[in-house]
Amino acid sequence: MARPRIVIVGAGFAGFAAARRLAKLSRDGADIVVVNPTDYFLYLPLLPEVATGLLEPRRVTVPLAAALPGVRVVLGTVETFDLDGRTLTVRDPEGGVRTIGYHRLVMAMGSVNKLLPVPGVVEHAHGFRGISEALYLRDHITRQIELAANATDEQERQARCTFVVVGAGYTGTEVAAQGVLYTEDLVKPYPELHGKPRWLLLDTAERVLPSLDRRLADAADGVLHERDVEVLMKTSVQEATAAGVRLSTGDFVPSRSLIWCVGVRPDPVIERLGLPTDQGRLVVDEFLNVTGYPDVYAIGDAAAVPDLTMPGQITGMTAQHATRHGATVAHNIAASYGRGRRRAYKHHDLGFVVDLGGLDSAANPLHVPLRGLPAKMVTRGYHLLSMPGNRVRVASDWLLDTVLGRHGVQLGLIRGDAVPLESGKPNSQP
């Protein structure tokens, strides 16, 4: 029998976990290939801390080659799949195209920014799905405060100090909560800007963190109000312009900053496969097999995995599920070669953590509600345990920031046109 080749498309939480577990299970008995646009795994939950100057970008990136010994990493994006011929074509970063064959295929392409048909959003908003977007946002916020300090017109000054975050889910709530602390630090050298920064958090839902436990939401909402973040529920963006944002209430908010955290949708490549989907995600069975193709699996945000703990529903698009999808699919692939028995995916969530910056967090480990410093300790401990690398570096940055404060400067590495809203690329939410 030919040496098995297992190809994993995507190195987000799901793909990374699958590759790491397969490498251990195979004991060098298979060729494991990961196809990914970047050479790193991105620890997405800490991205708000990159955007607000607490962490350097390399802290939240883990090199795939070092973290996945025995796994071959192919840089590129998949252009086409031939599931009947068991091949896929990959375009590398310099435009070269190659064909890769496989015996088992794992689709873990992840998700991209969710777009809504709102005039002006694509042109004037920026998403929050990758390192480039986080770096751009950090520069943009810093630049707006510096330009506000030199503005002679009071209306322009206030507009540059106003930041609108759309989406009060996990990411948007953290960005708003941590962003207000960042701008408070940025205005310290400018007495004329004290009290000027204004942050708004919008959502069509009835409360912040609508998908999480009510007690977590109430704790986060309390912190936001204490920091004077304007939380506008049952409110959406009607139009975005270069001068500001028109809300569904009819109000116009002058602003130069529209941060799009509405949510995610499965990678558009899934639509081109012509396979059954549910909510845009590939239909799989409880063993993570794609319908009609026993040698093809889908996991993470790309897959509509049946939630056996909640019959009739599919698992959420979270890092917690994605990581466990990866471990399960690795065992099931090993079982397909006669090593062990395949298992159905079943997981009860262990709780969630929300980092609100400063000494505030909200967490419910094992469904025990916590807030403030105890929640902060749990949140940071959870992230350090969950990261597959860079733990010492991240902890060191946190310690230095506590003692010395953050460093607010523009680096000018990413231009706005380099991170259009439609380009957001995949990794699961926590």
Side-chain angles (χ1 to χ4, degrees), residues 12-13 36-38 40-52 55-58 60-61 111-114 126-139 171 175 259-261 263-264 414-415 418-429:
F13 281 94
N36 199 57
T38 65
Y40 59 81
F41 163 81
L42 174 64
Y43 191 73
L44 191 65
L46 291 181
L47 212 54
E49 299 198 15
V50 174
T52 55
L55 291 178
E56 292 304 310
R58 285 184 297 176
V60 299
T61 58
S111 54
V112 298
N113 288 312
K114 180 189 292 184
H126 287 282
F128 199 77
R129 294 291 294 163
I131 285 290
S132 297
E133 291 167 312
L135 284 174
Y136 170 77
L137 183 59
R138 183 166 72 178
D139 275 2
T171 301
V175 169
I259 306 165
W260 195 255
C261 302
V264 295
I414 308 294
R415 299 194 322 269
V419 284
L421 186 61
E422 291 182 293
S423 72
K425 217 27 203 171
N427 270 302
S428 297
Q429 301 180 78

Side-chain angles (χ1 to χ4, degrees), residues 77-352:
T77 55
V78 176
E79 294 207 325
T80 61
F81 290 90
D82 181 356
L83 301 184
D84 295 319
R86 292 188 176 183
T87 63
L88 48 91
T89 57
V90 179
R91 183 175 295 276
D92 67 32
E94 296 186 347
V97 177
R98 63 188 297 184
T99 299
I100 301 176
Y102 64 83
H103 297 105
R104 302 287 187 274
L105 173 66
V106 180
M107 296 187 183
M109 290 85 78
S111 54
V112 298
N113 288 312
K114 180 189 292 184
L115 300 179
L116 299 177
V118 178
V121 163
V122 171
E123 294 82 5
H124 300 292
H126 287 282
F128 199 77
R129 294 291 294 163
I131 285 290
S132 297
E133 291 167 312
L135 284 174
Y136 170 77
L137 183 59
R138 183 166 72 178
D139 275 2
H140 175 79
I141 293 173
T142 308
R143 181 167 57 251
Q144 293 309 307
I145 295 299
E146 292 171 350
L147 289 173
N150 292 311
T152 56
D153 180 78
E154 182 58 31
Q155 291 184 337
E156 177 190 350
R157 175 174 291 177
Q158 186 57 65
R160 293 193 181 279
C161 287
T162 300
F163 305 89
V164 180
V165 181
V166 184
Y170 187 95
T171 301
T173 298
E174 287 199 334
V175 169
Q178 298 192 39
V180 68
L181 297 181
Y182 185 43
T183 51
E184 285 177 1
D185 285 347
L186 289 175
V187 301
K188 285 178 179 177
Y190 309 109
E192 66 275 22
L193 296 185
H194 289 182
K196 290 288 185 183
R198 178 189 181 196
W199 283 79
L200 293 86
L201 179 62
L202 322 177
D203 203 297
T204 56
E206 295 185 354
R207 61 179 175 89
V208 299
L209 302 173
S211 63
L212 299 188
D213 183 275
R214 182 78 196 213
R215 289 169 294 186
L216 275 182
D218 290 343
D221 188 69
V223 171
L224 292 169
H225 280 91
E226 287 169 9
R227 295 179 187 171
D228 294 325
V229 175
E230 298 176 38
V231 180
L232 305 178
M233 295 291 96
K234 298 182 180 180
T235 305
S236 61
V237 174
Q238 193 173 65
E239 181 186 13
T241 70
V245 180
R246 186 167 302 282
L247 307 181
S248 58
T249 59
D251 296 328
F252 184 81
V253 180
S255 174
R256 304 290 190 273
S257 308
L258 179 57
I259 306 165
W260 195 255
C261 302
V262 167
V264 295
R265 60 191 171 102
D267 193 305
V269 72
I270 292 173
E271 299 173 0
R272 303 198 298 267
L273 293 172
L275 296 174
T277 60
D278 182 357
Q279 301 177 33
R281 303 162 71 183
L282 288 169
V283 172
V284 298
D285 60 22
E286 67 271 28
F287 301 104
L288 309 176
N289 275 117
V290 172
T291 303
Y293 292 92
D295 296 330
V296 180
Y297 303 79
I299 55 177
D301 291 355
V305 179
D307 191 339
L308 300 184
T309 69
M310 303 179 70
Q313 298 189 31
I314 59 177
T315 59
M317 299 170 79
T318 68
Q320 193 174 138
H321 278 302
T323 300
R324 287 163 176 79
H325 288 173
T328 300
V329 83
H331 283 285
N332 288 349
I333 289 174
S336 74
Y337 287 104
R339 181 171 296 177
R341 305 173 76 175
R342 68 177 186 162
R343 59 182 70 167
Y345 178 76
K346 186 175 183 180
H347 168 66
H348 294 272
D349 77 74
L350 303 176
F352 292 88

Side-chain angles (χ1 to χ4, degrees), residues 54 177-178 181 227 355-361 376 380 406:
L54 287 176
Q178 298 192 39
L181 297 181
R227 295 179 187 171
D355 196 327
L356 302 171
L359 297 178
D360 280 302
S361 288
K376 188 74 173 186
R380 290 200 159 173
R406 67 185 102 205

Side-chain angles (χ1 to χ4, degrees), residues 361-400:
S361 288
N364 62 341
L366 301 177
H367 306 287
V368 177
L370 298 174
R371 143 160 216 197
L373 186 57
K376 188 74 173 186
M377 295 173 64
V378 168
T379 298
R380 290 200 159 173
Y382 170 82
H383 288 316
L384 289 178
L385 288 173
S386 299
M387 292 189 72
N390 292 351
R391 295 186 181 98
V392 174
R393 290 185 172 93
V394 168
S396 297
D397 270 10
W398 282 337
L399 178 61
L400 289 173

